[in-house]
Amino acid sequence: MSNFAGTGSFNLFFLNEHIVYEKIIKCTVKDYEFNLSYNPSLLISGSSSKIKDFATGSDFHPFVTTIGLYNESNDLVAVAKFGQPIPVSQDTDTTYLLRFDL
């Protein structure tokens, strides 16, 4: 019960339903895939493909921070950003479960 500007009391009730569909995408990355960084700062100056020496050794371990989802036409349709970087495994396959609402 509420009194609004001296006009008397009134009751307000409402009910709303909205169905939210959840989609789960399973992305499996083989142990030999994506074991490099796409960060342009790792490229040798003036080159579009040569990577600096420190980034090619066995001590360099990239992390996953973002996964892009593409359709059949190679158009980017969704981007998944992780709360913290995930190390890329060089020994085992890794499966990421991406959940989003439609």
Side-chain angles (χ1 to χ4, degrees):
M1 252 343 146
S2 217
N3 195 355
F4 183 71
T7 59
S9 61
F10 66 93
N11 292 324
L12 174 66
F13 298 99
F14 65 93
L15 176 64
N16 186 14
E17 289 186 22
H18 178 73
I19 298 173
V20 176
Y21 297 98
E22 182 180 73
K23 184 76 173 168
I24 300 175
I25 303 286
K26 181 178 169 181
C27 300
T28 301
V29 178
K30 301 288 185 190
D31 59 350
Y32 56 84
E33 296 178 312
F34 304 109
N35 283 333
L36 59 121
S37 176
Y38 291 100
N39 188 332
S41 68
L42 293 178
L43 296 176
I44 295 174
S45 181
S47 171
S48 61
S49 62
K50 286 191 85 168
I51 296 177
K52 295 178 181 177
D53 289 336
F54 77 89
T56 59
S58 61
D59 290 335
F60 183 73
H61 302 289
F63 286 74
V64 177
T65 58
T66 306
I67 293 179
L69 300 177
Y70 295 82
N71 64 12
E72 297 82 17
S73 301
N74 238 11
D75 299 322
L76 181 64
V77 294
V79 175
K81 299 288 258 177
F82 296 122
Q84 62 187 32
I86 301 170
V88 174
S89 175
Q90 296 179 355
D91 302 319
T92 61
D93 297 350
T94 304
T95 300
Y96 302 96
L97 293 178
L98 308 176
R99 293 182 180 183
F100 59 94
D101 296 336
L102 299 175

